[in-house]
Amino acid sequence: MAILDNDGNRILAKYYDKNVFPTSKEQKTFEKNLFSKTHRANAEIIMLDGLTCVYRSSVDLFFYVMGSSHENELILMSVLNCLYDSVTSILRRNVEKRTVLDSLDIVMLAMDEICDGGIILDADATSVVQRVALRTDDIPLGEQTVAQVLQSAKEQLKWSLLK
Amino acid sequence: MITFKRDKKEEEDGGGNPFQNLEKTTVLQEARTFNNTPVNPRKCAHILTKILYLLNQGEQLGTTEATEAFFAMTKLFQSRDVILRRLVYLGIKELSSLAEDVIIVTSSLTKDMTGKEDLYRAAAIRALCTITDSSMLAAIERYMKQAIIDRSPAVSSAALVSSLHLTSVSSDVARRWANEAQEALNCDNVMVQYHALGVLYQARKADKHAVIKLVAKLMRTSPKSPYAACMLIRMAYKLLDEVDEGEELIGFIESCLRHKSEMVVYEAAHALVNLGRSGAREIGPAISVLQLFCGSPKPALRFAAVRTLNKVAMSHPAAVTACNLDLENLITDSNRSIATLAITTLLKTGAESSVDR
């Protein structure tokens, strides 16, 4: 599972099989290769190095889910959709590099909730988000700084206007 | 508004990617803040995020560095901040293979996994199982069994998946917890059902008759979870290679062609056409399904279908001929992989007329 930016650099990536690309160098080579094959063609699915890779992009981000070539493509697709939808919902629809980096902690937690050591843990974006996106609601007001309170108030206002 | 936000951010971060120029040594130095009391959750969460980011980028930590960071991190258990706690779990998992004496957090994690907060419990179970070795297994066994049958799907799934991972620590874990897994199999949650089936299969896979019994029982009820159904199809497919009597199994897989989830339908079709023994009659319905998928608006589905047809064309070229027209449409597909597969499949089915075109 990987999220790359529009230069093919890694934002987050997780490899679950120690036998496939064991070193970080091999992983990055693979990512570069994958990116060069996919960043122009909006084709959703590709075979590369004996792996089935499904992908989709948003603004300046690319989301990938890789699996063995024996794996059911639609299962991989369901994981990809879950990843994408969870991130979308965590970032309140502004899915781009900057917002991902701003909420990197939550996105990391979400990836952790989707897949555990190569086994799909949850493929339902709503429940993934429920399990990780606990930010504003759970922190007592006293612990937030004035700026954060203003920020969250602004966010809420913005979304209530946009609805 | 957006520009205002940007400006503010850039002031804070000095512009660009806030994580771009992180130095391993600086970040590890910052991790010493974790020792301060009281814990500042926001600040510590940010530093921990940086550590996790570095690890994710492939930065190597030495044993001493990792151990130091790990021990500093354990101090964060004092804070009750939800996000920080969850990041600590993540940190434990990431560092567990690098640092020494990681079992020091066992009691903190056991406390969290038996606590009230479901969000903690599921994540704590998963973290705990990454630091568990064979000597500790007995100590957590009771809690794990309880967690497997917990009413919260998150907790139950976490425990089931963790027990699958623990198989590498002790091979009979799955067998010892099979009763609980059996109970979890009746759960309504699609993921719990899938994970429970995984554990049960793990427990019985050495014993062919036990697998046959398991499959036979589930075939009658047919699992609601599409993931579990896919797995059951795979189990049935594997059994067909081993047993002589397979009518029922084939019947079950065929019935899955009418499942409401495309995922399961494809899995079933894929299994049917790959059966070594099946003749044209058996694969007929599966081919029709794949033919239908060739016209799907979803590239992944078209890809899956044409890739499978490509393989069948080797053994049963005549059966695939029926799809020639659909395959011809795919030659101009915008996805080049699909187009290539379609062309090679057509070459195998060998209809001269289509080669000319």
Side-chain angles (χ1 to χ4, degrees), chain A residues 10 69 78 112-113 116 120, chain B residues 56 86 165 195 227 307:
Chain A
R10 177 191 295 186
S69 58
S78 77
D112 180 58
E113 286 295 337
D116 183 296
I120 306 170
Chain B
N56 194 284
R86 293 286 295 265
H165 292 316
H195 297 138
Y227 297 96
R307 194 159 77 97

Side-chain angles (χ1 to χ4, degrees), chain A residues 65-111:
Chain A
V65 172
M66 283 78 79
S68 132
S69 58
H70 304 293
E71 193 45 80
N72 183 330
E73 289 86 347
L74 304 182
I75 295 185
L76 296 178
M77 209 60 212
S78 77
V79 177
L80 177 69
N81 289 337
C82 174
L83 173 67
Y84 184 83
D85 294 343
S86 315
V87 172
T88 309
S89 139
I90 289 165
L91 303 179
R92 303 174 192 223
R93 290 173 233 182
N94 303 309
V95 185
E96 48 177 332
K97 185 178 170 184
R98 172 165 290 275
T99 48
V100 165
L101 288 169
D102 285 344
S103 303
L104 196 66
D105 46 356
I106 307 292
V107 176
M108 284 200 277
L109 290 176
M111 281 177 86

